[in-house]
Amino acid sequence: MAKKLLVIGASGVIGKRIFALAQELMPSVCVIKAHRKVLENNSTNRRIDIFSQKSLEENLTDIDVVINAVGPFYYDPKPILTVCLRLGCHYIDIAETTDFINKVKTIADKFPYNSFSNIITGCSTVPGLIEVFSKVWNQNNIAEIQAFLTMGSSNSVSNTLIYSLLRPLGQVSSKNTAYFSKLITKHFENIGYRTYGNYPSAFDLEGIAINNHLVPTNFYAGFDKEFYSYLLFLFAKILPFVPDNLLITLCKVANLFTPIIQRIGSPVGILSIEALDSYKNTLDKIQILAFKEGLNVPALPAVWAAKKLLEGSPSIYNKTLALSDLFTPQEITALLLQQGYKVYGKSINI
């Protein structure tokens, strides 16, 4: 009998990509869409309410792996985590919010019974890919890691993606700095300048573990057009005072103008991860360039992780894993190259 992978949130911008990539990369697996708008269940679609334990239990009994792509990740993951752990179903999500990721880990660690489930949270660009590539460095003289993510503004977006991007702006971090309160400009060879603002990540509190010690890690986000980063900088002054319901409405209005933004934008996405010494000198850096289909990059890690779990690796149960527990930097590099992306970095021999 074919293994079954369920993609919850498959009607969203990233969820659609996860579903399509899973079908492409795992042709022998039965890949099923799940979302709230399906009228009736069939072999390829299921109607699921992720906040209803009854709905989850009815739909996950025959599922081997769940990928949760339902954003924004500000809700309680307990219902879906509890059902997956009880049924022995592997769980993967693409969460990027620190609170959600920490809740997932806490729920899994405190689950009172033995389970055959592996739980992988944050299985996307951030924190997943950044953490994997940082493992290539084992020098004791690395004092800081900086990661820069450039988003191509010609890519399609949704109300949820816009909300997820805007909600953290101006909020105060654990380092007592407001997000997007300072801008950094960087130059990329053959591409040009990109401007970034400080942005929340799962690394804010502890950083990344390298060579048995935690290295402080700072994450920055920006766009292909400098103007958009400056616009977010201005929004960061106002958005902390905007309530959620009003922001949701504003995101819906803003999404009406995205066709104009897409026409003048580019699809180019960049992820640059840099290792610095105590004097802020760059010791090494790894760069991933996506000249097209940039939104596949945050979608692919969940698909790769699901494929590995369905193949029976690793044989570790009742344990919260990270993407870096499943793949080495070299393996992820090879997978990205297979998808047509460019990867540069001395440490990974590219």
Side-chain angles (χ1 to χ4, degrees):
M1 185 178 294
K3 297 282 189 177
K4 292 183 180 179
L5 167 65
L6 185 72
V7 182
I8 303 180
S11 61
V13 171
I14 302 297
K16 285 179 181 177
R17 291 174 179 267
I18 289 173
F19 179 79
L21 289 165
Q23 287 187 310
E24 175 190 337
L25 298 177
M26 293 181 281
S28 63
V29 173
C30 177
V31 186
I32 304 169
K33 296 179 181 178
H35 42 84
R36 289 179 297 174
K37 297 180 181 179
V38 174
L39 295 179
E40 60 181 30
N41 289 359
N42 54 46
S43 59
T44 57
N45 291 276
R46 294 191 183 181
R47 187 173 186 270
I48 293 182
D49 179 358
I50 64 165
F51 305 110
S52 166
Q53 198 150 322
K54 182 176 182 291
S55 175
L56 289 163
E57 287 173 349
E58 289 173 350
N59 285 282
L60 299 188
T61 53
D62 61 337
I63 299 299
D64 298 287
V65 178
V66 165
I67 296 179
N68 179 11
V70 180
F73 289 93
Y74 292 104
Y75 53 88
D76 184 3
K78 188 172 182 178
I80 187 170
L81 258 294
T82 302
V83 172
C84 285
L85 287 163
R86 185 180 299 146
L87 297 177
C89 173
H90 298 307
Y91 169 89
I92 300 167
D93 68 46
I94 59 169
E96 73 292 336
T97 55
T98 304
D99 286 348
F100 189 95
I101 290 172
N102 288 340
K103 284 179 182 177
V104 168
K105 292 177 179 178
T106 300
I107 293 166
D109 291 342
K110 292 185 176 180
F111 190 70
Y113 309 107
N114 291 330
S115 173
F116 291 100
S117 300
N118 288 135
I119 307 299
I120 306 175
T121 184
C123 196
S124 188
T125 306
V126 186
L129 288 182
I130 294 173
E131 189 171 31
V132 170
F133 280 111
S134 296
K135 300 298 183 182
V136 79
W137 298 310
N138 57 13
Q139 303 98 308
N140 291 323
N141 60 336
I142 294 178
E144 181 184 344
I145 292 173
Q146 291 186 344
F148 300 87
L149 177 64
T150 307
M151 295 169 275
S153 57
S154 71
N155 291 306
S156 58
V157 295
S158 64
N159 300 338
T160 297
L161 281 177
I162 297 173
Y163 176 87
S164 297
L165 173 68
L166 296 181
R167 183 68 286 177
L169 299 184
Q171 296 182 15
V172 178
S173 72
S174 58
K175 300 171 184 177
N176 205 31
T177 303
Y179 293 119
F180 245 88
S181 61
K182 61 178 181 179
L183 297 177
I184 294 177
T185 299
K186 295 187 69 64
H187 181 264
F188 296 93
E189 189 175 352
N190 300 323
I191 294 177
Y193 289 93
R194 296 290 187 268
T195 300
Y196 302 88
N198 54 316
Y199 202 75
S201 78
F203 311 124
D204 281 354
L205 283 175
E206 295 186 344
I208 295 176
I210 295 180
N211 210 19
N212 295 320
H213 73 279
L214 294 172
V215 177
T217 302
N218 293 302
F219 176 65
Y220 301 87
F223 283 92
D224 53 330
K225 301 296 182 181
E226 190 176 41
F227 169 75
Y228 300 138
S229 293
Y230 279 103
L231 201 58
L232 294 185
F233 175 77
L234 294 176
F235 285 166
K237 313 285 186 187
I238 305 167
L239 287 177
F241 308 101
V242 177
D244 276 345
N245 56 348
L246 178 56
L247 182 57
I248 290 169
T249 301
L250 292 173
C251 290
K252 292 177 181 177
V253 174
N255 203 13
L256 298 175
F257 297 92
T258 55
I260 299 172
I261 294 172
Q262 289 169 344
R263 284 196 204 100
I264 62 176
S266 80
V268 178
I270 307 169
L271 176 62
S272 181
I273 310 161
E274 303 178 2
L276 310 181
D277 64 17
S278 57
Y279 299 100
K280 300 289 185 180
N281 297 314
T282 302
L283 300 171
D284 194 16
K285 60 185 173 183
I286 296 170
Q287 292 180 351
I288 297 96
L289 302 182
F291 291 101
K292 61 179 182 178
E293 299 294 349
L295 287 181
N296 278 359
V297 176
L300 278 164
V303 178
W304 294 331
K307 186 172 187 291
K308 181 152 280 195
L309 292 177
L310 287 168
E311 291 170 348
S313 176
S315 56
I316 305 170
Y317 300 106
N318 199 19
K319 182 176 175 65
T320 304
L321 303 175
L323 188 67
S324 58
D325 293 316
L326 299 180
F327 297 96
T328 66
Q330 291 77 14
E331 288 173 326
I332 290 293
T333 297
L335 290 168
L336 286 167
L337 293 174
Q338 287 173 14
Q339 292 293 316
Y341 301 111
K342 303 293 184 183
V343 185
Y344 303 94
K346 293 183 295 184
S347 298
I348 49 176
N349 301 317
I350 297 294

